Amino acid sequence: MDVVNQLQRQFIDYSASLHREGFLDDQFTQLQKLQDDNSPDFVVEVASLFFEDCEKLINNMARALEQQQGVDFRQVDASVHQLKGSSSSIGAMRVKDVCVAFRSFCEAQNREGCLRCLQQVTHEYSLLKNKLQTLFRLQQQILAAGGSIPVVE
Amino acid sequence: MTVEQIVSEGKDQFPIGMRVLAVDDDPTCLLLLGTLLRRCQYHVTTTSQAKTALKMLRENKNKFDLVISDVHMPDMDGFKLLEHVGLEMDLPVIMLSANGDTKLVMKGITHGACDYLLKPVRIEELQNIWQHVVRRKKKDRCNSGSKDKPHPDSGEAAGIGNVDNNGKLNKKRKDQNEDEDDERDENGHDNEDPSAQKKPRVVWSVELHRKFVAAVNQLGIDKAVPKKILELMNVEKLTRENVASHLQKFRLYLKRISCVANQQANMAAALGTADSAYLRMGSLNGLGNFHTLAGSDQLHNAAFRSFPPSGVLGRLNTPAGLGIRGLPSPGTIQLGHVQNSGNPTNDLSKLQSFVPGNHNTNILQGMPMSLELDRLQHNKNVGHIGELPTTDSMTVFPGSGNLVDARITGFSNNQLLGVTSNSLMLEGSSQQATSHTSVSAIGFQNGNALSDFTSIAPASNQLQDSKAGSQGQASPINCNAGQIIRSAPQEWNAPRKDAPYQSHASINSSIPINGAMIQLGQCLDRNNSIFHRTTDLDSVGPLNFVDPLSIKHSEGDNSIMEPSVIEKEGYLMFQPRPHGSHVPDNIGSLEDLASAMMKQEGGCNGYSLRTSI
């Protein structure tokens, strides 16, 4: 019990810090609420999908921006748009914010700006991935110890 | 479940199990959407390919109740999918996007989406999407009912009728961002009561119209010819003639929508800048006010209404030029009045009473009024003091209203303009308000109002007290005006049509009595400074001028312009000005006043000038 409590507390604290630092926003909380007995791994599933998607999109963007002949900004924009949609759906606030800036660079057809944003997106994405993986690990530990995941508001 | 069942049993059971098809190329979003929908107890099918979705839909048209689709998809544009679904299956489609640009939303609506959601989508939003299904079913029933049976079940017919009627209405509002109405719109405009469907004429149901719109969009509005549209629509028993006439109506509708939009835009622009346009006041400093007025048209109107004698104001609109001269200062009173109610007609009545002969006042007021009157004249025919076309005045006044100050804002009526300007002046010179009111009182008395003057005068006092604000002041004035006008109205009304009346009327209209009035009130506080101060008068003059004029107008009686009356009063207001007939002079003087005022006081003067102009 003690272990569970400890883990739970850790979980709560960590969750709170992620929110505080802007890695996650309210949408993530909504996701957590959606998780229930029928779909116990819902959040993890969604997060995994998101990471996959993210990597794919980042690759697309990188490829498009590398084109020496001429960057197809529309294509980049399409990818950014999609990334913005999925990041906002999962609650990845920082990633989404970078996407917003990224889009305006795309509209301005600013290659330098886009590259910078791409870098930022990649960075934020890895950060988030790590953090979420830590969070999920905590969750698993709690469950393994027989406890339940506390609901963090 | 039939619609009736759904309707009768309430929506409790229906949403459960509603079959939704969700399309989104983003797997994260798709998973999330699917989960959310399942959480709402809908029956969900998901696919990331639009083409797959279409295939599924085509396989069995009754397999789904609702489609939710992302806008940006690689294999097919969401809008295209939307069109297809609408054309072929007539299912409600909800668009989904991370991008909430108005343009996109509009596009969704015009393509027939019944709703447009933004990502990240929340469960609360999804919980109500079933309404679109019910609505459409109702409409469909209505349409089919009307086609098949002459008399659908009364209950349903009623409902359907409503839907249709709504649809018609909606059709007119088609361009408004009401997704839900979109379907109705299509259905609306040609639909009549379902029970009347027996006629051989084609009923353009929502579904049919949607197909029509989709076909038109596909062809391009320029290239859309009935024959091709017919082919695309592929509806049996529909003739080319049906399509042709429908197309004609559709085109008119589109034009109307765009015109309205343009007009509104223009109006907005105009109002903001068109002081001159409205008020010819020349120096309408009130432009600024104008804006306010424009914005506060409603206020004005309201204001006017509050003033019983608004009629007078109305007059003002009419031959402002004429009216001004004769208009007694009562206009001022009315001004207050006018200001409030912005309704020219109302104001007019008010003005009428006010228009009494403050000749002097008229002069002063007339100046601005004349200016206004001129304008007003354009707007309305003098004849109807009482009847001053509110609309006209509105336009006129709005400008003036602004001038008058926010206080006058009520002027939105053109009539007000006259008044408002005055009021502006008044305000500026609030000091003189007292005198103003008294003057205006006189003004109103076109003759008849003489008695009213007295009553007005006191009213003006009240006005002074009220200083509260244009509105506030206006109201007191209104009261006064009301009183005055009341006495006057008979006269006012009667002669309205008369030419002399017109002149009065013009004054009325021109006299933004409201403004003046209001100002009077305000001025009154000060102490008639407005009116009395000669110098101010100049500036105020126009205001004053307006007032009486307006007042006079309202009276309709030519007597309104009783110079004597006005003179007495008018003098109070416009000392420098010989009351009376100087309408022309006034006018000129008004301008002078205006300019003088402008110089004198930025605010007040400006107003007066403006108004007067």
Side-chain angles (χ1 to χ4, degrees), chain A residues 31 34 42 53 81 86 88-89, chain B residues 26 29 32 35-36 39 72 120:
Chain A
L31 284 186
L34 276 178
F42 176 64
D53 211 24
H81 177 79
S86 46
S88 62
S89 296
Chain B
D26 183 345
C29 295
L32 178 61
T35 312
L36 285 172
R39 197 49 65 88
H72 286 89

Side-chain angles (χ1 to χ4, degrees), chain B residues 87 211 228-238:
Chain B
L87 262 176
K211 289 189 184 171
K228 288 202 185 136
I229 297 174
L230 187 63
E231 279 168 20
L232 269 178
M233 285 175 66
N234 193 20
V235 172
E236 52 181 13
K237 289 195 208 157
L238 194 66

Side-chain angles (χ1 to χ4, degrees), chain B residues 60-79:
Chain B
N60 184 352
K61 299 210 171 151
N62 287 328
K63 204 166 155 202
F64 298 102
D65 298 311
L66 179 76
V67 179
I68 300 185
S69 166
D70 185 29
V71 168
H72 286 89
M73 290 191 288
D75 62 335
M76 188 192 294
D77 184 28
F79 294 118

Side-chain angles (χ1 to χ4, degrees), chain A residues 27 31 33-36 39 42 45-46 49-50 53 81-82 84-86 88-90 103, chain B residues 25-29 31-32 35-36 39 70 72 74 97-99 119-124:
Chain A
Q27 181 66 18
L31 284 186
K33 285 191 192 159
L34 276 178
Q35 185 163 291
D36 62 2
S39 48
F42 176 64
E45 258 183 65
V46 176
L49 266 183
F50 173 67
D53 211 24
H81 177 79
Q82 195 174 332
K84 179 178 168 216
S86 46
S88 62
S89 296
I90 197 180
R103 285 203 87 194
Chain B
D25 63 320
D26 183 345
T28 317
C29 295
L31 175 59
L32 178 61
T35 312
L36 285 172
R39 197 49 65 88
D70 185 29
H72 286 89
S97 178
N99 189 345
K119 289 186 190 172
V121 66
R122 292 191 310 279
I123 197 167
E124 297 87 14

Side-chain angles (χ1 to χ4, degrees), chain B residues 153-402:
Chain B
D153 295 340
S154 50
E156 299 198 18
I160 296 172
N162 292 336
V163 172
D164 286 345
N165 292 335
N166 288 339
K168 284 187 212 172
L169 289 175
N170 291 333
K171 176 131 181 109
K172 303 216 189 322
R173 301 193 331 251
K174 191 175 182 164
D175 279 1
Q176 294 178 14
N177 282 340
E178 295 208 35
D179 301 325
E180 289 115 32
D181 294 339
D182 196 40
E183 298 170 9
R184 257 192 295 239
D185 287 350
E186 299 171 344
N187 189 21
H189 85 287
D190 264 339
N191 260 355
E192 303 193 348
D193 188 71
S195 49
Q197 290 304 332
K198 253 188 165 165
K199 300 178 195 159
R201 58 179 292 204
V202 170
V203 173
W204 281 88
S205 65
V206 175
E207 174 187 281
L208 208 54
H209 183 76
R210 201 150 8 100
K211 289 189 184 171
F212 171 82
V213 174
V216 169
N217 286 334
Q218 242 178 293
L219 293 167
I221 189 71
D222 296 334
K223 295 217 182 88
V225 285
K227 190 145 180 282
K228 288 202 185 136
I229 297 174
L230 187 63
E231 279 168 20
L232 269 178
M233 285 175 66
N234 193 20
V235 172
E236 52 181 13
K237 289 195 208 157
L238 194 66
T239 67
R240 198 199 68 81
E241 284 74 23
N242 295 137
V243 175
S245 72
H246 192 75
L247 179 64
Q248 194 180 40
K249 289 181 196 153
F250 187 66
R251 284 217 180 101
L252 287 174
Y253 172 73
L254 289 180
K255 195 156 71 155
R256 192 167 12 112
I257 299 299
S258 63
C259 279
V260 167
N262 289 340
Q263 276 170 17
Q264 286 174 357
N266 293 339
M267 279 286 290
L271 285 175
T273 55
D275 268 5
S276 52
Y278 281 112
L279 303 175
R280 299 285 170 110
M281 308 266 205
S283 53
L284 292 174
N285 295 328
L287 282 174
N289 294 328
F290 195 88
H291 295 287
T292 14
L293 272 186
S296 51
D297 265 4
Q298 293 168 1
L299 277 181
H300 299 310
N301 293 329
F304 268 110
R305 283 185 242 268
S306 55
F307 291 109
S310 55
V312 177
L313 291 175
R315 306 278 174 123
L316 290 180
N317 290 326
T318 55
L322 300 176
I324 298 181
R325 314 197 202 162
L327 288 178
S329 36
T332 49
I333 301 181
Q334 297 197 350
L335 285 173
H337 207 34
V338 175
Q339 292 180 340
N340 295 338
S341 50
N343 287 326
T345 47
N346 298 336
D347 301 324
L348 281 179
S349 53
K350 300 199 178 132
L351 289 175
Q352 297 176 0
S353 51
F354 289 118
V355 179
N358 281 329
H359 196 66
N360 295 335
T361 53
N362 291 334
I363 296 175
L364 287 173
Q365 297 174 342
M367 295 220 319
M369 291 191 40
S370 50
L371 296 171
E372 295 177 339
L373 288 173
D374 292 332
R375 296 180 52 81
L376 293 169
Q377 301 210 340
H378 303 313
N379 297 326
K380 309 175 196 228
N381 301 324
V382 181
H384 35 223
I385 294 185
E387 304 152 6
L388 278 181
T390 49
T391 49
D392 293 346
S393 43
M394 293 293 293
T395 50
V396 177
F397 285 106
S400 56
N402 294 319

Side-chain angles (χ1 to χ4, degrees), chain B residues 74 142 176 217 245 269 300 354 360 448 467 487 532 566 582:
Chain B
C142 178
Q176 294 178 14
N217 286 334
S245 72
H300 299 310
F354 289 118
N360 295 335
N448 308 314
K467 259 199 161 177
S487 52
H532 294 307
I566 301 176
H582 346 286

